[in-house]
Structure formats: C-alpha cells, structure tokens
Amino acid sequence: MRVCKCFVCVVVISLVLCGYHGAYGKVYIDIDSPTFNKFPIAITDFEKLKGSEEKENLSSWLSDALTKSLERTGLFDVVDKKAFLDNQGGSAVENIRFADWKVIGTEYLVKGNFLFDGKDLITEFRLFDVIKREFILGKKYYGRIEDRREMVLKFAGEILLALTGNEGVFNTKIAFVLKGNKTSDIYTIAFDGYDFARITNYNSITLSPRWSPDGNDISFTSYKDSNPDLYLMSLRDRKAKKIAGFRGLNLSGAWSPDGKRMLLTLSKDGNEEIYVMDIKSGQLSRLTNNFAIDVSPTWSPDGQKITFVSDRSGSPQVYLMDADGSNVRRLTYQGGYNTSPSWSPRGDRIAYESMTDGFFQIFSIEEGGSNSIQLTSGTGNKESPSWSPDGRYIVFSSKLGGRSKIYIMNINGSNLRLLYESVDNVIGLAWSPKF
Amino acid sequence: MRERNLAVLILVMCLTVVFVTGCCSRKAVKSAVITGEQMAAEDQQASSGEQMTGEQALKEQALKEQTLKEQALKEQAAKEQAAKEQAAKEQAAKGGMVLADILFDFDEFSLKPEARGILEQHAKWLLEHKNDKLTIEGHSDERGTTEYNLALGERRATAAMKYLVDLGIDEARLRTISYGEELPLDPGHDEAAWAKNRRDHFVPKK
C-alpha cells in the first residue's frame, strides 16, 4: 500500500479548495453520542466511460469495495442496490433524481465512473447530499488497476472527513500473533478485512508486535535464536535486526512518540525491570527498581508518562509513572488481575483487560484512576486491547471454545464488528498508525 | 438555478487539474509495480483472507493447504513421538532418570513442599552426574497476558534454580528460560490442563 501511495494522482473536482469543509453543516459529529444515527448512504455501480475496457467487474467492484469500507466504520447504513429507483447514468447534479433517492431513505449518494485502457485506470467519485440536493465533493484518481483499492480507501476517507470532520482509519492495519502448534508468527490485516499478510516466518515462537510511529517498522520478540530476544524489522525489505539479546527476557515494549526510543522489559539483572533504550545507540537506562514483576510498558501520547503492569501489590495491576521512572502510582484497584494497558491516542483514557467472573474483559479508565468502564461482557476471554490511531475504536481478541476472533468496537463498547476469525489462537494485537 | 451554477462551477473545476499528491517519474512507477506484484504474490502464499477473483482456485489451494497441514501435523506428531522415545532412551542411558516437572499455583512462583522434594531428587542426580548441565524451562497456563506470563515463567524457572544452588549445585551448570504460556503440555482449556501447564520442565544435557 505504502509503495503505491505516491503513484495515485488525485484530482480534486470540488469545492474543497474553496473552503467547503468549514461550510458544511454536519462536521464534527460525536459518533459515541447516544443520539448518533448512522448515515444512510447509497452507492451506485460505477459507470464505464466510453472507450473503457471492463475488467474484473470494476463497475460493481468499486461500489462493493466502498460499501465494505464504509460499513466497517460502523457509521454508515449502506442502502441495498435492489431498492434503487433512479438507475440513470451521469453524475451531474441535474441528472440526479434526488426525490427518487430520498424516498428510499438515503441521505447521501455516491456516484462514479471509470476509464480503463488496459493499463491505466482513472476513477471518479462524487458524493451528494440527497436532502439538500447538493454536490458535496468529488475526486478523480489516476493510477493502475492494482491501485483500485487504494483509490476506494482514499475516497472513503474523504467521505468520512466531510461528514464527521475526521478522515478515519481506512488506511491502517492491525498486527497480531497467530499461534500454531508449537510456533507463532506475526501477521497483519487491513482495517476493512482485506490484505491479510504474513510478516514473520521463523518456525519459532514470535510475539508482541509493536509499530513504529511512522508505520515503517515493527518490533517484536522472537525465540528464533533460542532465547526471547528483541528484534526490529523494516516492513519494506522484511529484514529483522536484533536490538536486544541479553540473558533472560528481552520483551518488546513500545516506541516513543518521536520513534527514537523504546521501552522494553529485560530480566538481565535478575528480575524483570523496565528500561528505556535509545534505538540508534542501544544505550539503556533503567526506569523501575522493584523486586516485583514489571512488564508491558507503554507511553502516553505526549511521551510524558508511562503505564505498565506490576505485581508489586501481590497481583498484576496497572501502574503509571513519569517518563523518567519517578512518581509511580497504582491506577487499577478493582479486580485481582489487570494487564495489557494501552493508552488512547487522544490521551484521556487507558484501556486494559481485567479478569471478572472468571473471564477477561476489556475496560477503560481515566488517567486519574476514575470512571472505570467495562466495555465487553459475556463468556470467553477478551484480551489485548489496542486503540485506533484516531482514538475512535478499540480492537481486541476474543477466544471462546476453539475459535479466536478479532473484533473492533467503538470506544464506549458499542457497535461490535468481527474483523477476523481463526481456529488458531490470536493474541498480541497492535493497531498501526495511519500510513 | 443554484444547482446549475454549481454544475458549471464543477465543470470549471474539472478542467482545473490540481495534483494534490505528486506524480512520480515513469521509471519509479515501473519499479513500484514490480514490488507490488511481488508482495502480492508473497501475501497470496500466506493468505487465507478474502480475494475478489479466482475464488475457485483459492478454494482448491485452501483444500490442498488443509490436506498438507493435516499431513504435516500427523508427521510432526509422529516425529515428536519418535523424539520423545529417543529422549526417554537417552534418559534411560543416563541412569534411568527422567527429571520430573514441578508444579505451581495460579499466578504464583513460590515452591510448594512437593516441588522442593522433587528438586532435592534432581539435585542428588546432578551431584551424581557432574558433567551434565540442566536447562530449567518455566511455563505458565494460558490465562493472562503473554508478557506477564513470560515474566511468571521466568520467576518459576529462577525459583527452581535458586533452590538447586542452595542445595549445592554450581550455578554455571544451570540455565533458565521462560516460555510463558507459549508451550502448554496439555492443550486443554480447563483447570486440569492449566494445573499441568503451570510447571518447570527440566532438560538435562551432557
């Protein structure tokens, strides 16, 4: 995806440049508000322009892919194509029978066309407000047939930006660990369920993927050299470099927001302690000094604070400290087993997993320790919460019986969507930054 | 009327081509396409995700992969069985001693009295076999997080090592490694399985 990014040329066909965004009435909608209603939207099949070749059902492929991406956000109700009354072509305002769209319950309409000459693909997307009978925005993308998904994702982002003031997370991935019989490896999958890809293949135990802030690298722990060592892999060439190989545990922590330092857990001094490492020089400084287990550190979005797990009180609990290791305070008091802290990119809350009634559930709590909310419930263990880079969603794993699933939910626990399912064990989720 | 104006404006805007993201040179495009295809090919190999085309082919491939996977699992099971038998034979040659696992309570790494008893036997064996080294593997059950369980496994292995050192074994002969919840002895999801999995496992080496 990243490679293609600069090759898709975009032409803006709209009023966007005339400061349109500020003028549009529906911006900055709070999707977590109880009064929020999904946006009803219709997406017509794309019109094949004169002189264009048809390939791989581009006409319906484009509308279906856009439908899937928008549905994945949980913010849209996409109207079934069978209900359409206005089937005439053309995407100029005067050619659209808005009344026919309004009567089937849609408030927004996407129309588009494409021109494919066997090599280059040009697509055009237009978004209309059915109620106001207005053109909202349009984009024209130039690229190859392979870029078609990226074109769709870009326009999906444009729609979201226009209607909610936030372009969403269409161009993001989730990294996770799939456990086989005696081995495990890291995989990634796109936010909308496409692009399932294997990242490591060491025939060994490989765990705990963490994205660099620019999304170019992943750090992880692997036993490929018979000891749990810490590696850094460039996703461009898939080459991994060992960055910590001390005796004992070398566990992946988290990248600092500026990408220069990394938090990690080492047991080289006899017990598990949290260190910060300068990635370039490899220089370490120790942040915790406690005989208890200290693991799973992660930074606050501003890099000023660190949350981590410690059993210094006798059971695993979530703690906070300042970035230099001072001012340690306990965050969670409810429940006897609280782990996997993950800091919201908006900075206001920390998600974690907590054992309650025999199962792990996802919770979130304010940095000050108040307003703890249980976000999941029911049987099965829900683990490994990770926030979307825009702070709107939380991804987590769920295990019940022999099946593991990856779910995405809104940060208040509503709007649960299944992203991935496997008979193998899924753990260690990490949501990428925006690419 | 307003719509008309809007349409005209759109038309004008259409003609004004604005490149928001820069176009790269032809050469760059070419190389990017190759990279993309290569990556796609790699992904396809590992993919069990959705594909829009060639679904039938993918299905067949999936079936084939399934069969291969089953076959590989069977072979692996046979291999493991053979390896186990071999290990048992080697152990027998070493004096008929298979070093028993020691077990722990949930979220605990303190040695229980039974564990101490077993470690005392292991210490005796180590004193009799002065050239042998011992790897102590710490394990946990599947509950809880990967990282905390790795730490817990490390604690369990270290607890056994310290006790063996107290019993007079040279620390240089001992090595610890934690596998956390990654290598369960029993793949079950109940207390009976978990109890077996919260263990230290001992691997002697000449």
Side-chain angles (χ1 to χ4, degrees), chain A residues 3 5-15 17-18 56 61 68 93-94 98 119-120 124 126 132-135 139 142 144 146 148 154 179 181-182 184 187 192-194 196-198 205 207-208 210 223 226-228 235 238 247-249 251-252 267 270-272 290-293 295-296 309-311 314-316 336-337 339-340 353 355 360 381 383 399 401 420 423-425 427-428, chain B residues 2-4 6-11 13-37 39 42-53 66 69 73 76-77 80 84 106-109 138 141-156 158 161-162 171 174-184 187 189 194:
Chain A
V3 177
K5 200 170 188 176
C6 56
F7 307 125
V8 178
C9 305
V10 189
V11 177
V12 184
I13 330 165
S14 73
L15 309 173
L17 293 178
C18 313
E56 293 170 12
W61 188 93
K68 265 197 180 173
V93 173
E94 61 268 27
F98 284 109
K119 220 169 77 186
D120 295 315
E124 194 178 314
R126 291 179 182 201
K132 294 187 185 161
R133 300 171 166 248
E134 270 177 11
F135 168 81
K139 289 261 166 141
Y142 293 83
R144 301 294 185 93
E146 308 86 82
R148 63 193 189 279
K154 276 185 187 293
K179 277 194 203 178
N181 191 15
K182 301 224 150 150
S184 58
Y187 292 75
D192 53 3
Y194 282 87
F196 177 84
R198 184 177 191 151
I205 299 165
L207 300 164
S208 305
R210 302 278 196 271
Y223 284 69
S226 309
N227 190 65
L235 290 173
R238 303 266 173 104
R247 188 188 147 139
L249 299 173
L251 300 185
S252 198
S267 62
N271 85 87
E272 305 76 21
N290 194 296
F291 181 70
I293 292 174
V295 288
S296 304
V309 170
S310 178
D311 75 339
S315 67
Y337 201 118
T339 54
S340 296
E353 61 184 70
M355 198 189 272
F360 282 101
N381 285 311
E383 294 188 75
K399 196 166 66 179
Y420 178 77
V423 289
D424 289 330
N425 204 349
I427 47 153
Chain B
R2 200 170 152 221
E3 281 166 22
R4 272 284 143 80
L6 208 61
V8 171
L9 185 54
I10 292 158
L11 256 172
M13 295 299 288
C14 274
L15 295 172
T16 322
V17 175
V18 185
F19 288 93
V20 171
T21 54
C23 256
C24 299
S25 70
R26 211 69 199 154
K27 198 178 158 199
V29 169
K30 208 172 176 185
S31 74
V33 168
I34 292 166
T35 320
E37 279 170 3
M39 281 175 71
E42 272 174 32
D43 290 353
Q44 183 128 0
Q45 271 189 328
S47 173
S48 66
E50 290 164 275
Q51 286 286 333
M52 302 310 289
T53 57
Q66 179 75 20
K69 200 177 173 188
L73 278 178
Q76 198 178 346
E80 273 166 24
K84 248 186 216 164
F106 177 65
D107 194 27
E108 288 291 338
F109 51 86
D141 68 30
E142 63 178 352
R143 292 171 297 166
T145 48
T146 302
E147 285 152 28
Y148 185 79
N149 280 335
L150 283 168
L152 200 56
E154 178 97 349
R155 291 292 170 111
R156 287 173 177 164
T158 307
M161 183 178 79
K162 282 190 177 148
E171 195 172 334
L174 306 172
R175 175 183 176 247
T176 58
I177 187 163
S178 172
Y179 288 106
E181 61 180 276
E182 307 308 318
L183 298 176
H189 305 292
W194 295 332

Side-chain angles (χ1 to χ4, degrees), chain A residues 351-408:
Chain A
Y352 61 99
E353 61 184 70
S354 177
M355 198 189 272
T356 164
D357 297 329
F359 291 110
F360 282 101
Q361 304 290 355
I362 309 297
F363 285 69
S364 83
I365 190 167
E366 279 177 13
E367 186 196 316
S370 50
N371 280 328
S372 163
I373 316 172
Q374 183 171 345
L375 302 174
T376 63
S377 57
T379 52
N381 285 311
K382 285 74 164 191
E383 294 188 75
S384 198
S386 178
W387 300 79
S388 62
D390 64 354
R392 268 186 179 168
Y393 310 107
I394 293 173
V395 69
F396 63 95
S397 67
S398 167
K399 196 166 66 179
L400 184 59
R403 297 196 79 75
S404 277
K405 294 173 183 178
I406 297 177
Y407 284 105
I408 291 172

Side-chain angles (χ1 to χ4, degrees), chain A residues 259-277:
Chain A
K260 290 179 179 157
R261 289 161 300 148
M262 192 179 290
L263 289 169
L264 62 166
T265 302
L266 303 173
S267 62
K268 68 186 181 73
D269 295 339
N271 85 87
E272 305 76 21
E273 299 287 2
I274 291 165
Y275 296 76
V276 62
M277 181 171 69

